[in-house]
């Protein structure tokens, strides 16, 4: 062990030896970005501090305001979504909050697609309502046709999902953007289920695009993160300030993991889609299944739109209703399946299943759930990238047992 206490006459003191080691490490040229696990950054002198403020992006000050790892994630998703800038957030919920805060203040009103992630509607109903931001829910069929009927004097925006949760309805983004803009509203799109591999909402006129990075972008069920991308530099700057001042920004370690996942996004999503198509076809043929929801099936009401908007890819999520539309039948199916563990999230490389009525949409009333078609026997599969034959064999035996 190195002797740290007794310093010989000709040796440098401990502190300066550590500094020279630090400088030596600075000259290492890593191929990928290291994790900058630091909460704060050093400045040489006051001139450098002025450079930080004078040349935005040239230096770092404090990790809540900006960190090389979260910037790398934000810039990578900005490129994928073809936007102007982004903020990486501590979760998808933080991303929705940041997106809504970009356009809304007390007294404002939001239009939200009735088919929406349960957390998004709970945020609006239970928390933003306390801050004086109100919401109306727009039935799927009225998102493009009859939006004006829902508008109030202080309506600011329309929030919808490219592919909805859990029934996988596909929003016509071009028509939604036209309808929203004609009424002076911004369009905020949750692109979590589609990913930029399928759909680029900015191309259809969206103003903000957000993701739960927790899902496909990171893709390995080991990160909780979010991101919001803006179409304009002005909105990107607003997002950055909102992220910093509300303290929504993402940590270096989580950012690094998300960036690593992102590198295989295209390969993973293509594999998810191939498997999901095979799964949907098997489900559609099985007598234990009452109804299948997958945009890739010809029977899906928005199949053509989904094909156009998704570049002939239809995503990795498949929902179905058991013919025996009961909780008992769902539990039987869960116990019988070996490859689809009940884990209420989605989009990991390993398959899983979720139960919308009991998890993501639990906060809704029974009446709201019935209206959306979220019944007792509805199961949502997140189809992974395993061998197709193994997934099909498992599903067939689990359904045979029903
Ligand atoms: C999971 C999810 C969210 C919330 O993201 P978190 O990372 O869990 O906070 C938002 N929208 C959709 C569509 C989701 O699936």
């Amino acid at each position: 062990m190195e002797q740290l206490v007794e310093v010989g006459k000709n040796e440098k003191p401990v502190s300066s030896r550590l500094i020279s080691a630090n400088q030596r490490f600075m000259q290492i040229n890593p191929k990928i970005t290291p994790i900058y696990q630091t909460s704060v950054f050093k400045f040489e002198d006051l001139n450098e501090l002025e450079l930080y403020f004078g040349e935005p992006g040239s230096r770092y000050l404090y990790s809540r305001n900006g960190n090389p790892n979260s910037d790398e994630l934000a810039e990578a998703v900005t490129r994928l979504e073809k936007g102007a800038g982004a903020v990486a957030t501590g979760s998808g919920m933080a991303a929705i909050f940041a997106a809504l805060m970009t356009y809304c203040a007390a007294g404002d009103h939001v239009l939200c697609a009735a088919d929406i992630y349960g957390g998004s509607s709970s945020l609006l109903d239970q928390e933003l309502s306390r801050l004086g931001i109100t919401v109306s829910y727009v039935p799927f069929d009225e998102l493009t046709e009859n939006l004006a009927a829902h508008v109030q004097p202080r309506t600011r925006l329309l929030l919808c999902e490219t592919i909805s949760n859990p029934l996988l309805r596909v929003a016509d983004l071009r028509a939604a953007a036209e309808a929203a803009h004609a009424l002076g509203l911004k369009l905020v799109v949750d692109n979590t289920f589609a990913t930029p591999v399928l759909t680029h909402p900015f191309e259809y006129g969206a103003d903000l695009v957000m993701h739960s990075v927790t899902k496909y972008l990171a893709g390995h069920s080991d990160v909780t993160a979010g991101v919001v991308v803006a179409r304009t530099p002005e909105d990107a700057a607003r997002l950055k300030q909102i992220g910093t001042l509300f303290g929504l920004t993402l940590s270096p370690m989580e950012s690094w993991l998300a960036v690593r996942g992102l590198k295989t996004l295209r390969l993973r999503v293509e594999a998810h889609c191939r498997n999901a198509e095979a799964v949907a076809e098997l489900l559609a043929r099985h007598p234990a299944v009452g109804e299948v929801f997958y945009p890739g099936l010809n029977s899906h009401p928005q199949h053509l739109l989904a094909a156009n908007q998704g570049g002939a890819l239809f995503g990795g999520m498949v929902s179905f209703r058991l013919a025996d539309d009961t909780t008992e039948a769902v539990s039987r199916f869960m116990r019988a399946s070996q490859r689809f563990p009940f884990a209420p999230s989605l989009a990991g490389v390993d398959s899983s299943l979720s139960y919308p009525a009991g998890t993501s949409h639990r906060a809704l009333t029974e009446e709201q759930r019935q209206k959306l078609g979220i019944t007792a026997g509805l199961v949502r599969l997140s189809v992974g990238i395993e061998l197709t034959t193994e997934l099909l064999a498992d599903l067939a035996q689990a359904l045979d047992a029903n």
Side-chain angles (χ1 to χ4, degrees):
M1 234 191 81
E2 201 182 355
Q3 188 48 264
L4 289 181
V5 190
E6 288 179 22
V7 180
K9 256 195 177 158
N10 297 322
E11 266 179 83
K12 288 179 186 169
V14 174
S15 58
S16 66
R17 268 189 286 146
L18 289 177
I19 288 170
S20 53
N22 201 341
Q23 281 164 351
R24 187 159 54 79
F25 290 135
M26 287 306 183
Q27 285 157 15
I28 296 172
N29 250 338
K31 180 161 181 276
I32 63 140
T33 314
I35 307 170
Y36 286 89
Q37 190 67 38
T38 181
S39 61
V40 65
F41 298 82
K42 294 185 291 185
F43 291 101
E44 197 64 32
D45 55 21
L46 293 177
N47 293 333
E48 204 186 352
L49 180 71
E50 290 312 307
L51 288 176
Y52 167 79
F53 287 102
E55 296 173 15
S58 68
R59 285 161 176 76
Y60 289 98
L61 172 82
Y62 188 59
S63 280
R64 173 163 53 74
N65 304 25
N67 171 287
N69 298 110
S70 57
D71 277 5
E72 186 178 24
L73 174 61
E75 283 170 25
V77 182
T78 297
R79 276 197 305 279
L80 281 172
E81 287 289 9
K82 307 182 187 181
V87 64
T89 57
S91 66
M93 289 307 302
I96 293 177
F97 181 68
L100 295 173
M101 284 295 126
T102 304
Y103 299 129
C104 292
D108 286 342
H109 174 246
V110 168
L111 293 181
C112 180
D115 296 80
I116 199 88
Y117 177 68
S120 306
S121 53
S122 296
L123 173 67
L124 283 159
D125 294 341
Q126 294 170 28
E127 296 299 332
L128 292 183
S129 57
R130 297 191 298 119
L131 307 183
I133 297 171
T134 52
V135 60
S136 302
Y137 292 96
V138 183
F140 183 81
D141 295 327
E142 297 180 30
L143 280 177
T144 54
E145 296 300 320
N146 197 22
L147 204 56
H150 302 271
V151 167
Q152 298 180 9
R154 289 195 54 181
T155 308
R156 294 286 176 238
L157 62 87
L158 169 65
L159 170 67
C160 70
E161 296 171 351
T162 311
I163 302 178
S164 79
N165 183 18
L167 290 179
L168 309 170
R169 293 181 158 136
V170 180
D172 185 338
L173 294 182
R174 192 189 305 281
E178 278 170 10
H181 292 162
L183 296 164
L185 315 182
K186 302 287 187 182
L187 177 65
V188 178
V189 175
D190 184 337
N191 203 29
T192 300
F193 274 36
T195 81
V197 179
L198 273 66
T199 305
H200 296 116
F202 289 132
E203 288 180 354
Y204 301 105
D207 296 286
L208 293 180
V209 175
M210 52 113 343
H211 285 272
S212 169
V213 173
T214 315
K215 314 295 168 50
Y216 287 108
L217 297 198
H220 294 72
S221 309
D222 52 10
V223 182
T224 300
V227 69
V228 195
V229 192
R231 187 163 50 82
T232 67
E234 295 74 34
D235 284 350
R238 281 292 296 138
L239 278 171
K240 194 152 173 65
Q241 168 155 336
I242 287 164
T244 301
L245 294 183
F246 281 97
L248 306 173
T249 48
L250 188 62
S251 72
M253 177 72 190
E254 308 300 289
S255 302
W256 185 89
L257 277 169
V259 166
R260 188 168 81 148
L262 209 51
K263 291 174 187 179
T264 54
L265 178 71
R266 186 177 51 79
L267 292 172
R268 282 187 285 107
V269 168
E270 285 169 6
H272 282 292
C273 293
R274 271 199 307 277
N275 277 351
E277 281 185 43
V279 162
E281 278 160 20
L282 177 139
L283 293 173
R285 285 193 308 266
H286 202 285
V289 174
E291 200 174 352
V292 184
F293 305 89
Y294 186 64
L297 293 177
N298 279 322
S299 58
H300 188 282
Q302 293 101 39
H303 176 65
L304 278 182
L305 169 68
N308 281 329
Q309 220 171 244
L313 291 173
F314 301 95
M317 302 299 299
V318 182
S319 294
F320 67 97
R321 202 186 316 284
L322 285 164
D324 179 2
D325 192 7
T326 64
T327 53
E328 293 76 20
V330 171
S331 278
R332 272 200 305 279
F333 174 78
M334 282 178 183
R335 286 193 296 266
S337 167
Q338 301 299 308
R339 304 305 292 264
F340 288 84
F342 175 28
S345 185
L346 61 114
V349 287
D350 301 313
S351 294
S352 63
L353 71 79
S354 186
Y355 184 62
T359 61
S360 56
H361 293 71
R362 197 183 182 92
L364 270 57
T365 62
E366 180 58 32
E367 192 195 338
Q368 284 172 315
R369 276 196 295 271
Q370 288 297 332
K371 231 170 155 179
L372 290 173
I374 301 172
T375 60
L378 185 78
V379 175
R380 191 193 73 189
L381 301 180
S382 172
V383 182
I385 64 170
E386 302 94 333
L387 276 178
T388 317
T389 47
E390 291 182 6
L391 294 182
L392 297 184
D394 179 60
L395 284 175
Q397 65 81 25
L399 288 168
D400 290 346
N402 225 275

